[in-house]
Amino acid sequence: MRILWITFAIVMGLFIALVIAINNGLVGYMPSLAELENPQSAVSSDVLAGDGTLLGRYYVLDRSNSKYTDISPSLVNALVATEDARFYEHAGIDPFATIAIPIYMAIHKKRGSSTITQQLAKNLFPRQSQSFFMLPIMKLKEWVLAVKLERNLTKNEIITLYLNTVPFGDNVYGIKNASLTFYNKTPDKVSIDEAASLVGMLKGNTIYNPRSHPKKAKERRNVVLEQMYKYNYITQAQLEELKEKETPLDYHKIDYHDGIAPYFRQVVEAQVKLALKDLKKPDGTPYDIYKDGLKIWTTLDVRMQRYAEEAMQEHLTELQKTFLAQSGYRDGSIWAKGSAIQNILTSSIKSSDRYQMYRTQDMSETRAMAQMRVPIKMRVFAWNKGHYKDTTMSPIDSIKYMKVFLQSGFMAMDPATGEVKAWVGGIDHNYFQFDHVNINTKRQVGSTIKPILYTFAIDNGFSPCGNVSTAAQSFPNMDHLYNADKEADYAEQVTMKVALAKSINNAALYVLKQVGIDGFVDFAHKCGIVSRMDKYPSVALGVSDISLFEMIGA
């Protein structure tokens, strides 16, 4: 008996010593009091439109935080009833559940014994080792952390932190993002059955995901409802009614490609990084757009953006039909060997991810090309409601298919303030990520340069009602006679406003001759055009490569 008591005393002494060592950070990292009172986790940054509409997020983990007052009581009740019924009675560790562990192990019955606080400790400060031998130490550390959290935080703060850090389905973290993603509601607006579905996901965020496994998700939801009834959070009548009810999804998962204005969000991301470069947080550390939960307000108008996207689709679907009706595209002859386009195709094939993958597998060029001709199932872009179609074609044919889609850019700006209201960089960000609005994307601007030329003329004393010549023009020190309207039948003299309205090229050349090429190019640069504009007469006809971004600003 003496040996037994001595052994017991030694074991208890070692246990207490181990707890003290863990508490003081002698056995792995132990968070400070400041970290426990203000635990940090990676929070996604929100990009907002001018009216506060969420456009998208920048994140490592798709997580947003909520306050306790922003969370529906049904969510709190469902969580406590399911995960930790004695949450409001214990101090971080549930003694009854802990004592029962050996019993359940003896009868080979799996049962969770961790309290909400212990799970929070694990979420905030993940285990540093997954080794089987270190598991008891890691578990003991979580107990110590749970007790410290209970001493430094209120029960409401613990519940809030827990719901803000747990993972839900589809790589969504935190109750705010989960309720917005699955039900398009903020956490304070969810119903009892929606709350039960969300909490039910915590047991297995893949298998109980209501989007991908609706049947299993409903079964798990009903288990949560039964727990809520068991602990008097709902009545039996509510239980019976809700168990039979369907909980329809209103799914809105925002990712990098989906959502409103993806091209615009990509530009904002770069601009915000630049703006944060020299800014520091109060603790002196740099800001992180992907982890610091920033609110990024933009001037985008959601309604105008949607109209812009619809306008582009309507316009380009018609142009696409006309484009593909050309003989070279209709019969496929544009891809004939020896043509310049064939060389572009070959270059595109060899730079594709699939071809590069084949080459890294020690395939010869000939064999890799042969593999690129083998038909496979794939999803490609299409002008339909979903902007895709599932089909079977060879990788080479898919490159040909995708190459012939016409692209465009659309931008709307408030001319009084410079605020960007709409930005559509291409026809679909999933398949075509090259931004046709970006300042680095330059194209010949054509006759859209003429309003800038005519503005410069009016600034220099010309009148919109004054006459201009539509004849061929000659320029000093240039032998060539410029006649840009050979097929047109214009009067010798028209008013400037008519010349602009009809976009008469010779009239533009006449105006350019009067105001001077150097003066016009300098004026265009003062208007905000930074691209190179060669000082030749043809500059009045828009031969310069200038971005849409610059032209709108000018």
Side-chain angles (χ1 to χ4, degrees):
M1 185 61 68
R2 183 196 293 177
I3 293 171
L4 182 62
W5 279 109
I6 291 172
T7 304
F8 176 76
I10 291 171
V11 170
M12 286 302 297
L14 290 173
F15 178 78
I16 293 169
L18 181 59
V19 170
I20 293 171
I22 289 173
N23 185 55
N24 288 286
L26 301 176
V27 184
Y29 171 73
M30 174 56 64
S32 66
L33 181 63
E35 287 178 279
L36 290 172
E37 290 177 339
N38 300 284
Q40 296 293 317
S41 55
V43 179
S44 57
S45 294
D46 293 343
V47 189
L48 306 168
D51 62 357
T53 300
L54 180 65
L55 299 177
R57 296 189 178 99
Y58 307 126
Y59 56 84
V60 177
L61 300 175
D62 188 3
R63 173 188 283 129
S64 288
N65 285 340
S66 297
K67 298 177 183 177
Y68 183 81
T69 52
D70 297 332
I71 300 172
S72 166
S74 296
L75 282 164
V76 176
N77 295 340
L79 177 65
V80 172
T82 309
E83 296 291 327
D84 189 358
R86 289 183 288 274
F87 173 71
Y88 294 105
E89 300 165 18
H90 63 67
I93 302 171
D94 185 349
F96 298 103
T98 304
I99 292 169
I101 292 175
I103 300 171
Y104 281 99
M105 289 177 65
I107 61 176
H108 302 290
K109 184 176 180 181
K110 189 175 181 181
R111 179 181 180 273
S113 61
S114 293
T115 64
I116 288 174
T117 318
Q118 286 174 258
Q119 293 177 50
L120 173 61
K122 185 178 176 181
N123 290 341
L124 291 177
F125 308 102
R127 292 173 179 174
Q128 295 166 302
S129 172
Q130 299 296 328
S131 165
F132 175 78
F133 298 103
M134 287 296 294
L135 188 60
I137 302 294
M138 294 296 104
K139 194 70 177 175
L140 191 56
K141 183 178 176 181
E142 286 166 14
W143 287 2
V144 173
L145 280 170
V147 173
K148 294 181 80 169
L149 284 167
E150 289 275 351
R151 290 178 62 185
N152 290 284
L153 302 173
T154 66
K155 290 287 186 180
N156 288 354
E157 287 173 331
I158 289 170
I159 283 279
T160 306
L161 268 174
Y162 179 85
L163 286 172
N164 282 335
T165 56
V166 286
F168 292 85
D170 292 344
N171 196 33
V172 170
Y173 286 74
I175 191 61
K176 182 178 179 181
N177 279 8
S179 56
L180 285 170
T181 297
F182 290 96
Y183 299 109
N184 198 23
K185 295 179 180 179
T186 51
D188 59 321
K189 299 287 195 307
V190 297
S191 60
I192 296 173
D193 56 313
E194 290 167 345
S197 294
L198 290 168
V199 170
M201 240 188 293
L202 299 179
K203 185 175 177 64
N205 52 32
T206 299
I207 194 170
Y208 297 120
N209 184 328
R211 179 191 60 79
S212 54
H213 297 89
K215 186 177 179 182
K216 288 185 179 294
K218 184 178 180 181
E219 292 171 358
R220 178 63 187 165
R221 180 205 68 178
N222 288 346
V223 170
V224 175
L225 290 170
E226 288 168 358
Q227 288 293 106
M228 293 179 74
Y229 166 67
K230 179 179 177 181
Y231 293 104
N232 301 316
Y233 291 115
I234 59 174
T235 65
Q236 185 168 5
Q238 285 177 303
L239 173 66
E240 298 304 323
E241 178 188 352
L242 292 171
K243 283 180 71 173
E244 297 303 317
K245 179 185 175 184
E246 294 296 327
T247 305
L249 293 178
D250 189 359
Y251 192 81
H252 288 77
K253 178 72 168 80
I254 297 179
D255 67 17
Y256 188 71
H257 299 295
D258 295 336
I260 306 168
Y263 296 93
F264 176 73
R265 297 200 313 263
Q266 196 168 351
V267 174
V268 170
E269 181 179 9
Q271 290 292 314
V272 171
K273 284 181 179 178
L274 193 62
L276 294 177
K277 188 176 179 183
D278 299 321
L279 291 179
K280 301 291 183 185
K281 291 188 282 188
D283 63 2
T285 59
Y287 282 96
D288 189 328
I289 189 175
Y290 305 107
K291 295 181 179 179
D292 285 338
L294 306 176
K295 299 293 181 187
I296 302 162
W297 292 85
T298 73
T299 57
L300 200 81
D301 186 299
V302 173
R303 184 182 62 167
M304 291 177 72
Q305 177 69 22
R306 288 193 172 124
Y307 286 155
E309 291 174 0
E310 290 170 10
M312 180 180 283
Q313 174 155 343
E314 181 180 341
H315 185 56
L316 284 191
T317 47
E318 293 303 315
L319 280 180
Q320 190 69 46
K321 292 174 187 175
T322 305
F323 181 71
L324 293 176
Q326 299 175 96
S327 60
Y329 296 93
R330 192 168 57 244
D331 59 20
S333 60
I334 59 161
W335 309 112
K337 286 185 178 180
S339 67
I341 292 181
Q342 172 63 29
N343 295 333
I344 294 171
L345 175 63
T346 302
S347 175
S348 298
I349 293 169
K350 290 186 175 181
S351 61
S352 68
D353 291 340
R354 186 176 294 275
Y355 178 85
Q356 294 295 329
M357 178 189 71
Y358 290 147
R359 293 289 280 151
T360 56
Q361 294 174 355
D362 292 332
M363 283 190 188
S364 66
E365 185 176 331
T366 303
R367 190 180 169 199
M369 278 294 190
Q371 285 293 111
M372 293 290 286
R373 294 187 180 92
V374 177
I376 56 174
K377 290 182 178 179
M378 64 175 67
R379 176 169 288 184
V380 293
F381 175 79
W383 274 123
N384 55 29
K385 187 177 180 181
H387 280 195
Y388 72 86
K389 69 175 181 179
D390 294 314
T391 186
T392 300
M393 65 173 69
S394 73
I396 288 179
D397 285 339
S398 74
I399 292 172
K400 292 178 181 179
Y401 172 82
M402 297 292 274
K403 280 283 182 187
V404 298
F405 278 103
L406 295 176
Q407 299 290 333
S408 185
F410 187 119
M411 184 180 182
M413 180 190 286
D414 184 331
T417 64
E419 295 177 353
V420 174
K421 296 297 183 181
W423 182 308
V424 189
I427 57 179
D428 189 281
H429 197 262
N430 274 294
Y431 299 94
F432 308 99
Q433 281 145 40
F434 189 83
D435 188 348
H436 293 265
V437 176
N438 195 291
I439 194 169
N440 296 315
T441 304
K442 303 179 189 294
R443 298 285 184 270
Q444 283 193 337
V445 294
S447 291
T448 56
I449 200 71
K450 290 175 183 173
I452 298 174
L453 170 63
Y454 282 70
T455 299
F456 181 55
I458 289 172
D459 269 1
N460 282 272
F462 282 75
S463 166
C465 299
N467 286 335
V468 295
S469 171
T470 63
Q473 299 295 315
S474 61
F475 286 81
N477 303 319
M478 295 184 186
D479 298 332
H480 185 70
L481 185 68
Y482 289 88
N483 185 8
D485 293 307
K486 294 177 182 178
E487 305 299 324
D489 182 19
Y490 297 120
E492 282 294 315
Q493 298 282 327
V494 296
T495 60
M496 183 185 281
K497 64 180 183 180
V498 170
L500 178 57
K502 293 186 176 182
S503 191
I504 301 174
N505 288 333
N506 281 350
L509 291 170
Y510 171 81
V511 172
L512 180 69
K513 183 177 179 180
Q514 307 311 306
V515 298
I517 296 175
D518 289 351
F520 167 59
V521 171
D522 290 343
F523 176 74
H525 287 319
K526 286 178 182 176
C527 288
I529 293 174
V530 297
S531 297
R532 176 174 172 170
M533 298 176 68
D534 291 326
K535 295 179 179 180
Y536 293 103
S538 54
V539 74
L541 308 181
V543 299
S544 302
D545 289 333
I546 305 171
S547 68
L548 175 59
F549 186 90
E550 294 168 85
M551 288 299 295
I552 291 288

